[in-house]
Amino acid sequence: MDEALSAVLSTYNYIQQPVFFSQDGVISYCNHPAQDLFVHTGDRLTEILGDEAAFLTDLQQDTPTLMPLSLAGNCLQANILRLGGGLLFIFTAENQPEISSQILSSVAQAVRTPLSNLFGVAASLFPTLEELEDPAAQQDVAALERAFYQLLHVTCNLTDLPGVLDGKLRIAREKTEMCEFFHDIYKRTQSLCGNIRIHLSCTLPDKTFCAWIDRQKLSRAIWNLLSNAIKFTPAGGSIRMSLSRTEKSALLRITDNGDGMDPSLLSRVFRQYAKPQQLTDPRCGIGFGLAYVQQIVQLHGGTTVLQAQPDSGTDVILSLPLAQPETKDPELLSPMKNIDYAGGYRHELVELADVLPLEAFKYL
């Protein structure tokens, strides 16, 4: 390591945030807070990041990168910068919100039943209204359909929110052929993107492969990412879905050419409900989506990497291990895995209801 680089790194000796630096896959510098997290000079980056260390080198050179990590039982956000031919990792702690998960669970249950009853009654009237061939009536039916799916989406979020808050969300994994799984999400989303003039493409590997995943929860995580991409990509833009694999991991990638993100906000996007008060953009939600994505990926033993910058779009990679979990793992035996969280309604409409126009809800 040259003297100029050493001088820059030495400035991190006096801050409380954990910081370490790697060159050629080996940790060559770490400050004392990083050592408290059992990171030491001479450790290999793969010991900390696992298989995800391999694809970090392929990320865009000058784009801010964020990777949530768990070190010594601490949930941290790693801001990754390229410096002197290596990678500099600067960590910030993830603050947990003070909110009652029990109250949220009760609210979700209280809303779900009357919502289903209301829609059941309304649905019986839809065929009659549609037969009138009255454009105004059909528009009203579509608005009612969309409102229902939007409310159902909120209810589903409230149902999972307690588990996200207290870290007790559970998954039920099953062996899944990943190309078919990923392509199914693409096909169900492609026609909906046509309603908003966004081109959605999908790239799959030449050979099929399997991984052990919770199909429902991982699908929901991917649709959360697609919803965000649609929100911030203008008409005429494009979103790319791609699936690939390394020796040990499946890599699921969502890339758009939309508005991107201010680097000052990047370090907070995975923090639960940490939306800055000064944000007035109506496209910004309550912060549940990315927090949910992060936790689902972590429960699979994987890692999330996000790159974004203003006017250059956003790139998110989900890395999931291919290895089969222990057969004694209760996740594989859970009777909950066959319960449809959306109550039988179309998942893609539930998850994308907030970003779709009324035309997507006509004649369902």
Side-chain angles (χ1 to χ4, degrees):
M1 186 185 303
D2 60 45
E3 293 184 3
L5 180 58
S6 296
V8 171
L9 294 176
S10 66
T11 61
Y12 293 103
N13 292 333
Y14 306 100
I15 68 172
Q16 298 302 310
Q17 294 170 269
V19 177
F20 67 80
F21 178 77
S22 71
Q23 277 184 311
D24 300 322
V26 178
I27 307 299
S28 56
Y29 164 83
C30 56
N31 64 4
H32 289 296
Q35 293 173 27
D36 292 339
L37 297 174
F38 305 103
V39 177
H40 303 288
T41 302
D43 290 348
R44 299 201 63 81
L45 197 57
T46 52
E47 296 175 20
I48 300 171
L49 304 182
D51 194 47
E52 286 75 19
F55 70 83
L56 268 182
T57 56
D58 297 328
L59 297 176
Q60 301 175 45
Q61 292 286 328
D62 300 319
T63 303
T65 301
L66 179 68
M67 175 185 284
L69 289 175
S70 180
L71 296 177
N74 297 283
C75 189
L76 303 169
Q77 309 289 346
N79 292 282
I80 307 172
L81 308 172
R82 296 191 180 276
L83 179 67
L87 296 173
L88 180 67
F89 293 74
I90 303 175
F91 291 86
T92 56
E94 181 172 331
N95 297 320
Q96 297 296 323
E98 295 182 4
I99 189 168
S100 170
S101 60
Q102 184 61 45
I103 291 176
L104 292 172
S105 182
S106 299
V107 169
Q109 184 59 42
V111 171
R112 184 180 288 270
T113 300
L115 178 62
S116 297
N117 293 339
L118 175 64
F119 189 71
V121 173
S124 67
L125 303 176
F126 291 164
T128 302
L129 293 173
E130 290 172 354
E131 288 174 2
L132 295 176
E133 297 185 356
D134 182 347
Q138 293 172 356
Q139 193 81 347
D140 290 341
V141 169
L144 185 58
E145 292 261 17
R146 183 172 66 177
F148 168 76
Y149 278 99
Q150 289 173 328
L151 287 171
L152 183 56
H153 184 220
V154 171
T155 305
C156 292
N157 285 351
L158 285 173
T159 300
D160 281 336
L161 192 52
V164 173
L165 286 171
D166 58 24
K168 295 181 180 180
L169 203 61
R170 295 292 177 260
I171 61 174
R173 286 180 276 191
E174 56 186 316
K175 189 175 183 180
T176 301
E177 201 287 292
M178 293 301 293
C179 293
E180 179 184 358
F181 166 78
F182 199 64
H183 190 257
D184 178 64
I185 295 175
Y186 160 69
K187 292 299 292 182
R188 293 165 70 177
T189 310
Q190 183 187 33
S191 60
L192 297 176
C193 284
N195 288 301
I196 44 182
R197 296 192 296 114
I198 290 178
H199 177 68
L200 180 67
S201 61
C202 182
T203 302
L204 301 173
D206 295 332
K207 295 183 179 180
T208 62
F209 65 96
C210 294
W212 290 80
I213 62 171
D214 185 315
R215 296 174 64 92
Q216 278 202 136
K217 287 189 170 63
L218 185 58
S219 295
R220 193 169 183 216
I222 294 171
W223 267 311
N224 266 289
L225 295 177
L226 288 170
S227 177
N228 283 343
I230 292 170
K231 283 180 186 178
F232 294 95
T233 301
S238 64
I239 300 171
R240 299 190 306 276
M241 301 174 60
S242 65
L243 173 69
S244 60
R245 63 166 295 176
T246 65
E247 181 181 354
K248 298 180 180 180
S249 300
L251 303 180
L252 293 72
R253 194 167 195 160
I254 309 292
T255 306
D256 66 67
N257 65 351
D259 295 347
M261 187 181 302
D262 190 310
S264 64
L265 302 179
L266 188 63
S267 63
R268 292 178 289 201
V269 295
F270 284 109
R271 296 186 189 180
Q272 297 153 3
Y273 326 112
K275 184 177 69 172
Q277 294 299 315
Q278 69 270 24
L279 275 184
T280 58
D281 193 328
R283 297 173 298 179
C284 296
I286 64 171
F288 172 83
L290 287 176
Y292 180 85
V293 171
Q294 176 187 348
Q295 189 161 139
I296 293 302
V297 173
Q298 288 179 335
L299 287 171
H300 280 83
T303 302
T304 307
V305 176
L306 184 150
Q307 285 196 302
Q309 58 185 6
D311 303 319
S312 297
T314 302
D315 188 16
V316 185
I317 302 173
L318 310 182
S319 174
L320 304 172
L322 298 178
Q324 178 179 349
E326 295 290 337
T327 54
K328 64 181 180 181
D329 191 337
E331 297 169 354
L332 303 179
L333 306 174
S334 172
M336 299 296 290
K337 70 179 183 180
N338 294 319
I339 297 177
D340 184 357
Y341 76 94
Y345 294 98
R346 290 172 56 183
H347 292 187
E348 64 272 26
L349 290 179
V350 173
E351 300 300 340
L352 301 177
D354 288 338
V355 297
L356 294 176
L358 290 181
E359 285 69 22
F361 296 88
K362 287 185 176 180
Y363 314 114
L364 290 180

